[in-house]
Amino acid sequence: MNIFLPPPYNILYARRLHKTVRRLVPDSDVRFLLSESGSGKGAALVTAVAYRLAEQHRQIEETLEEFQLSKEQLLEVKKRMRIEMEAGLRKKTHQSAKVKMLPTFVRSTPDGSENGDFLALDLGGTNFRVLLVKIRSGKRRMVEMHNKIYAIPVDVMQGTGEELFDHIVHCISDFLDYMGIKGARLPMGFTFSFPCVQTSLDAGMLLTWTKGFKATDCEGEDVVLLLREGIKRREEFELDVVAVVNDTVGTMMTCAYEDPNCEIGLIVGTGSNACYMEETKNIEMVEGDKGRMCVNMEWGAFGDNGCLDEIRTVYDKAVDELSLNSGKQRYEKMISGMYLGEIVRNILIDFTKRGFLFRGHISEALKTRSIFETKFLSQIESDRLALLQVRVILQQLGLDGTCDDSIIVKQVCGAVSKRAAQLCGAGMAAVVDKIRENRGLDHLDITVGVDGTLYKLHPHFSKIMHQTVKDLAPKCDVTFLLSEDGSGKGAALITAVACRLREAEQS
Ligand code: ADP
Ligand code: MG
């Protein structure tokens, strides 16, 4: 560093100063420069720098203000979610509705009498897994799980549907060998976390891939049929595929097994989605008007008709345009793990271009898509983390900055994740209030089963979301219950409930 010495200079004094400073900080390279008329020019410079910083500060605040939603705006989001929900439920509007409100044919949550051994398949999360789930009822009531994780190479994920399902069946085969249960013909639940139109518990037509999947010849097809055909092609083992399950529904069922008040499922992980128990009479796409059925909202697509455009920023639009499914899943892209880091990166690029960050230099790292993963938001926003550690995280990403840069980055992360949590809360407020009105209640006590790494690991997301639901739906007391492996255990529970009902019907 440089230290400027103002006149008049005393040589002896200066020498002593140099020596002392070097002894005090031997690791630093300090040079002493003589300045001319420091006090006059310096004061002017300090003032100019202060002005520039204040102006920068103002512009940063102004940009981040776009991410701060007022209570009125959040209530409007809640209201529009409710409108979209109604549109999805009505026959007349279902076709064009963006929030699809898909019937799942799950009509009951577990009652504890479920029993048996079940297979589950979990596709659509970060990991593809095959599971064996042993459920015991009565006094020895328990759930025991064994699972194995398999990789799905990107070329399979984005290859042909037949390749994808051959790969899946290959993994099942490996798992059955591994567990020594190949001859058993067990009932299976297939957790398939993509939007499907279901006509029964065991039929689901894929509407559209999301979250990075792109295999051909699958959209418009029944994925249970694709799985059964894959099993047939292999001619090696048989399975009884009983249910196709959305991960939100699995999450709800897993939590309902512990808490009968749980009638909502929520995911905030790679993507975001929710399901809840709706009155069958309100689901016009399904015959009958007795009882309730779980509806997979597919709420990630909220806003795809433009109804959220007023609150979407240029950064949201940039993230959307660079994604695999541009124009789709607009709400999800403002909330979930696959996108929050990208929103932050786009803001950082803009701030750098405007000279507020990284000395105006856009590094290769900053240009790299997905470099800023959402887990870094969690780290950077952690209250226990000192600013210096934020700087280290950024350096590890290849983003060399000053401490001032770190402050700004932390501010950006906070703004993006807070908005995500509030938007998610506004959606949830719409759901709980609808359930309350469905039941004609002044007050509703209800539990939401939640899964997803962003919800679980972000230091503030859950708290902000809970508070938002409280503020926007004051007539509901909402408990949030973390689900333990909703997509694995839940699929098995749905299969178990279905088998129980089937047996009851046959006897
Ligand atoms: P999925 O939703 O695919 O089933 P997860 O619930 O595990 O899987 O969510 C994975 C997502 O969570 C990733 O997209 C990632 O962005 C995000 N994530 C991973 N680690 C963290 C973390 N520490 N904090 C916040 N988000 C995280
Ligand atoms: Mg998951």
Side-chain angles (χ1 to χ4, degrees), residues 274-290:
C275 72
Y276 70 99
M277 296 303 287
E278 177 59 273
E279 309 302 311
T280 310
K281 65 174 189 306
N282 292 344
I283 314 172
E284 293 185 0
M285 303 305 290
V286 173
E287 301 260 320
D289 50 15
K290 275 202 203 60

Side-chain angles (χ1 to χ4, degrees), residues 157-176:
M157 227 155 107
Q158 303 181 0
T160 70
E162 205 167 290
E163 279 162 2
L164 175 63
F165 279 89
D166 280 345
H167 178 74
I168 291 170
V169 173
H170 164 83
C171 297
I172 300 174
S173 163
D174 176 82
F175 182 77
L176 296 177

